[in-house]
Amino acid sequence: MKKGFDKPLFVAVILIAIFGLVMIYSASFVWANYKFDDPYKFVKMQGIFLVVGIILMIVLSKIDYHIYYKYANIILLICAILLILVLIPGIGTVRNGSRSWFGIGSLGIQPSEFAKIGLIIYVSKYLTNNNKEMKSIIHGVLPILGVIGLFFVLIMLEPDFGTAMVIVLTLVVLIFISGVKISFFVKIGLVGLLGIAGIIIAAPYRMKRIVSFLNPWSDPLGSGYQILQSLYAIGPGGLLGQGFLKSRQKYFYLPEPQTDFIFSIISEELGFLGVLIVTISFMFIFYRGMLTSLKSKDLFGKYLAFGLSFGLIIQASLNLMVVVGLIPVTGVTLPFLSYGGSSLLVSLASIGIILNVSRN
Amino acid sequence: MFFNDIHTRIRFVILVVIIILLLVIGKVFYIQVISYNKLSNITEDLWSRKMTINAPRGDIVDRNGNVLATSVVTTTIYVVPNQIVDKKKVSEEIAKILECDYDDVYKYVSKNSSMEIIRKGMDLSSEVADKIDKLGFDGVYLVVDSKRYYPYGEKLSHIIGFVGSDNQGLSGLELTYNEYLTGINGELKYYSDGKGNKLEIPDSYVAPTKGMTLELTLDLEMIEAVDNELSNAMDKYNSDGAIAIAMNPDTGEILAMGSKPSFDPTNYQDYSEEVINRNLPIWMTFEPGSTFKIITLASSIEEKTVDLFNDSFTDSGAVTIDGSTLHCWKHGGHGTQTFLEVVENSCNPGFVSLGNKLGVDKLMGYIRNFGFGSKTGIDLNGEGNGILFKNENMGPVELATTAFGQGISVTPIQQITAVSAAINGGFLNTPYVVSSIIDPSSESIIYENKKVTKRQVISEETSATVRYALESVVANGTGRNAYIENYRVGGKTGTAQKVSDGKYLVGNYILSFIGFLPADNPEIVVYVAVDNPKGVTQYGGTVSAPIARSIMMSAIEVLNIPEKDGGMLKEYVYTDTKYLILPNVVGMNKENATKALKDFKVKYSGNGDKVVYMSPKANSFQSVDTTITLMLN
């Protein structure tokens, strides 16, 4: 029964993670030097997380994924507790306006990132167990939507809109592939649109955000600032880029270029060619995950591999769309490439689990 | 079965993801390729700080390359406070060099702004600038600027004009040729981060390009001579104004042009707009008076309605036309004269007769052909049109007065251009002051102004006869005060009563003279007009002719015009100083020489008996007051 795991996926992930580390250095050394007097500050931290993450990935690739099926409820419970704890001032710390971190020195851990995996495991198990009930909206779909909604509310309390979006989209699509009627999704789509309309009416500043997304030049120093600075990085990159380390926008023009907007710096330094490489790499990783899901003979494994792969690609897609100005700024990091320990650990862990599924 | 359903949906999701990623790639392509130029330009501005280095304006030079307007280099000190590390030290050192208060400098250096100017413009000498440059502080920049300088000030202000505070041309040639004179600004560009700190990326420096050089047809020496004469005329006669133009009649090149009142181009704000805007030689219109008779004369000769030498005219002192009596300027008239004498005497009834023989259409046709009633097209701004009667509105009285230069209104430039045509063989040229535009870096000529002949108005022969008649005016007639011994001078006087509100002003005249030399082949034509001189006989011959003579004397030196034989001898009147031909006495002994020079004063040098050298040289006309120096061996 012992089979090798998906080597192309493993190699692709290692390569993109190392590429990410290099680009984090390039994107962050100006800021790191300014804030910490140490240009290597961010890259050192991320390096540690990368080593830990790769070990974690290899370990998880060896742990039979059925164990998550068994402990899914407990894992979810722990996630819920952590998400509640992080909201309590004194335990959770505020960074960039969100109380979504457990701070240990300069290290920060985001429980919402881990909740992502917890929820995918839980929903996969739910879908496996309630295969028949999923035909029924009331008995099958609504209960699990209720659980998802609860977590959504917890994460929105931090608030971390980006992660909440990623989780909800991932789980809804996961439920979608389980065979729930299409008409239901049309309905929640409509409800969603109404909801968004309601949210905008309730808080008109969000309208401003949308306007600034459509025309960032309308408020270049306010709400349009980030997206404009991102375009200013991408544009001059041209076909081949300014060259590695040669970004100008990272010199205090683009705020915190090593996190959400690292793709701008990649575009600036490596040009359209770099963009193609990054996008194709993500597509390849997603595709390998999907192959694992499609090949899996086990329903739980199928859902799990799909959910984790889709979770990564939807997060990457949202980040890329924000950075290039296709959707308004949501605050989503780019898996493997953005600076952030929790995100990297969770991404590598997801791959580890997928790799284990691929063994079977 | 059940798996198939899931797999279908998974494949659908893969498709959606591929579409999203393609959208992302498409958008990046759009940003990086389609909007590349736009965004690159924006970011270039975002990343760099620019300091404009103003290009010096082009020079304006005369025909011999003498600089008439130039740009003087000045230096401005900028600081970029963010880039200065040790603000105190920098302030101390700069204050020491500028010999000013430390606090004065520190307040700029410590300001929270992207750029501050410590010293701007003239008050920074080049030594001071060098010292600051040698300090080599980061964030301290010296930017070279320029300021307009007019070495000949008032003498040329109406032609050259002046510039405003940003070195933009506001009047005169500075305005009309602003586009050429303005250089291309350079810039010093350095790159900085989002906080304004200088980045270790090499500064880029684009040197400014100096504006084009404007070479004029003017001659500085002639300008100075003209200005000198006009100043004298203003002082001597306490006149309201004075105008002079010197022109090459063959080409239309203006050699000198001047007028009073004038203004100082550096402090133009101190003068009234009227003085600044009115370039009198081309703007002012007035009755020309008798100088205009040259036109009537030329037209009559061309039309063969008069034979100057054989036809005669009897002037009783007045002529009655249509019930109006027109008087000759000479009370009692000139009696019976040939028409050449009519011209010499500037006899009004004689010209009335010439006008009548031509008739309205012919006379007015020639007047228009000679360029009156429309702008000459000189390359200066603010030219006047002048006013002529319409042919259909002209009765016999208007025809009569027009024939001797009254009842019409013309500009000085029209007059000199028309008279040039009358004496240069008949060709009406467009006058001009800019001869070429030169690129100072390559010394190549960008644009060259050439002689433009509008038309031939009269024949070569007619022109020759006009020249003869006008030489005769100077030798024998009203223009005698312009006679220059050993040279052939032609000319015509003019006395015109000024008109205000449709009425002639009493005792208020513009006295003018147009002269040229050599009379047989003119190289220069000079126009002089003095507005309302006081305390002098009100005739052009007494006031303006001597001024024109002085200007022509200068022209002889400046243009190196050789002496001419064969000119008409001056007909002396008792008030004139007598001129005689100086006989050659070199080689004679002292006694014979003294005898030969009995009409002159003689001074001897040396102790010998034989004349070896004499000064002035022999065979030239000399005043009997001249002292002849003889060197004896």
Side-chain angles (χ1 to χ4, degrees), chain A residues 119-132:
Chain A
L119 275 163
I120 291 169
I121 292 170
Y122 182 81
V123 172
S124 299
K125 180 185 173 184
Y126 182 89
L127 293 176
T128 311
N129 287 347
N130 301 281
N131 202 359
K132 302 263 159 49

Side-chain angles (χ1 to χ4, degrees), chain A residues 18-164:
Chain A
I18 290 169
F19 174 72
L21 192 64
V22 172
M23 289 316 295
I24 282 168
Y25 168 68
S26 176
S28 72
F29 72 84
V30 175
W31 256 102
N33 195 33
Y34 176 70
K35 274 176 90 169
F36 303 106
D37 243 340
D38 175 9
Y40 298 100
K41 175 80 181 173
F42 290 117
V43 79
K44 278 192 273 192
M45 298 275 289
Q46 190 76 356
I48 294 166
F49 276 108
L50 182 58
V51 171
V52 172
I54 290 174
I55 293 169
L56 180 65
M57 175 171 71
I58 293 168
V59 169
L60 289 178
S61 77
K62 291 180 193 300
I63 296 174
D64 184 3
Y65 68 90
H66 290 100
I67 193 170
Y68 313 120
Y69 183 84
K70 202 170 161 190
Y71 295 111
N73 297 355
I74 293 166
I75 293 168
L76 192 68
L77 188 64
I78 293 167
C79 288
I81 291 167
L82 289 176
L83 283 175
I84 292 165
L85 281 178
V86 83
L87 291 174
I88 299 166
I91 300 175
T93 52
V94 179
R95 287 187 190 178
N96 298 329
S98 299
R99 191 176 295 282
S100 50
W101 305 79
F102 289 120
I104 307 157
S106 59
L107 284 172
I109 287 173
Q110 283 176 286
S112 52
E113 287 285 345
F114 295 97
K116 190 161 67 183
I117 293 189
L119 275 163
I120 291 169
I121 292 170
Y122 182 81
V123 172
S124 299
K125 180 185 173 184
Y126 182 89
L127 293 176
T128 311
N129 287 347
N130 301 281
N131 202 359
K132 302 263 159 49
E133 283 81 354
M134 293 314 286
K135 297 273 185 277
S136 157
I137 303 298
I138 293 172
H139 295 106
V141 180
L142 288 187
I144 190 66
L145 280 186
V147 173
I148 296 167
L150 187 73
F151 278 85
F152 179 78
V153 169
L154 280 175
I155 296 169
M156 282 305 280
L157 283 174
E158 295 176 358
D160 184 351
F161 180 69
T163 307

Side-chain angles (χ1 to χ4, degrees), chain B residues 49-53 75-84 90 94 114-120 124 129 132-133 136-144 187-192 196-199 201-205:
Chain B
R49 301 287 182 274
K50 275 181 208 162
M51 275 176 287
T52 302
I53 302 164
T75 311
T76 298
I77 309 178
Y78 287 87
V79 288
V80 179
N82 248 330
Q83 297 176 0
I84 297 177
V90 169
I94 292 177
S114 61
M115 202 181 280
E116 284 294 315
I117 292 171
I118 295 191
R119 282 282 187 283
K120 185 176 170 66
L124 193 65
I132 288 172
D133 201 29
F137 287 127
D138 272 352
V140 179
Y141 296 89
L142 292 171
V143 170
V144 174
E187 66 182 18
L188 177 65
K189 192 156 79 173
Y190 64 87
Y191 291 94
S192 72
N197 304 304
K198 196 173 170 187
L199 290 181
I201 293 168
D203 299 349
S204 75
Y205 174 76

Side-chain angles (χ1 to χ4, degrees), chain B residues 90 101 178-179 187 200 241 266 295 331 339 373 379 386 392 395 408 420 445 458 500 502 505 526 534 536 605:
Chain B
V90 169
D101 257 16
N178 189 43
E179 190 189 330
E187 66 182 18
E200 291 301 317
T266 317
I295 306 307
H331 190 71
F339 269 95
D379 48 353
E392 59 267 29
I408 58 164
S420 292
I445 293 171
I458 54 171
S500 178
L505 299 173
V526 173
K534 292 157 191 94
V536 66
S605 149

